[in-house]
Amino acid sequence: MPQEPFDPTDDELVRSVLAGDRERFGGLVERYQTRVVNYLYRIVRNLDDAHDLAQEVFIRVYQALDRYDSQYRFSTWLFRVAQNAAIDVLRKRRVQLVPISRRSDDAGEAAPDLDLPSNEPSALEGLEGRERDATIRVAIDALPWEYRELILLRHYGELAYDEIAEVKGMPLGTVKNKLFRARQLLKQRLLAASGPGTTP
Amino acid sequence: MNADRWREELDLELDGALDGPVVVALHEWLEHSPDLRRERQELQSVHAALAASVVAPRPGFAAEVVRSLPAAAWEGRTVSAWRWPFALLLVLGGVAAALFGGAAAELEPAAPGFAAFAALTKLFVSAALAGAGLAGATWTGLGFGLAHWLVASKLHLLAAGLIVLGLNLLLVRLLRPTARSRASVPHRSR
């Protein structure tokens, strides 16, 4: 019978690294690389830059590993570092963080009445591969920063709601509500982008 | 519960953040509400589109990161970093103890341990006094020699001044931590 592979927790890996086994840090990088790279990619909008920045984030985390407080989750600490690194880069680039003309409070508007029959596939499902990726990127970029940040942390950073609340220092209810509003906005924009017949 | 509230619960359910009796109530509501069913389908598409847009990191990225890790300040404080120096210290301590015991036995073969220790201490004190005297004489001699060389010509005095200045500059350079840490960070590889 094949033996279940040993899957150490983040804390165990951190302890091993701090005890001198620096190769175990590779385990932490393996575990979080996809999430960190994707999160940063959606912010810096260039995959090579995202990799470079992710590398820098992991190096920063490694150098400060002895200051990691295990009463918090490693993931929230890592993403706080990633978030600060991304903001630093954006500041340096002087990128406009909120590139839309609409105000952020338009998220409170009611969802449009989309005339789609419930037994047919959604218009979004008709989009494929690169087209869908480009559409989703544009739709995310058009979100107000406060919503965009939460979408990135949830869907690319794969953080749980309570982890996002911890990273952002927000109440859990606010995180849930903002994510709901963010996805409603995304839905409207994706549907608008996916076909004239579905435009609100 | 109003329609907006149900939509919010629906969104949470699709995101795997809802459980318990609310899910049951939501499913009952879904059966009777075509609007909510349509909302569910659209939100599912949003979730699917987000999931499909995830990219894979480049192959070997994790190994690349580990290779590029610079030495962290805390590494010098880890137990493993001091393992070999500590082992060496233990060995040296053992050798010293053996020599000490052997010397004591040689000096006072028939005496109890304390007398042997006292005899050894006297020997060490004598050796230390002799060494101190020798060092003092050496430094005095060096001082005389240096003074003699300095007063011999102004060129010697200038050379001595330059040496002292150079040593000070070297010390300042070595004490600049930012320059040192910049040099120790490896270039990131693509």
Side-chain angles (χ1 to χ4, degrees), chain B residues 41-67:
Chain B
Q41 198 174 18
E42 288 165 3
L43 275 174
Q44 266 175 334
S45 301
V46 173
H47 281 273
L50 285 165
S53 64
V54 170
V55 296
R58 67 177 167 233
F61 175 70
E64 213 175 283
V65 171
V66 174
R67 272 199 308 274

Side-chain angles (χ1 to χ4, degrees), chain A residues 154-171:
Chain A
R154 175 72 195 112
H155 290 279
Y156 297 105
E158 293 174 28
L159 294 187
Y161 284 61
D162 56 338
E163 288 175 308
I164 297 174
E166 206 173 302
V167 171
K168 299 304 303 169
M170 277 178 191

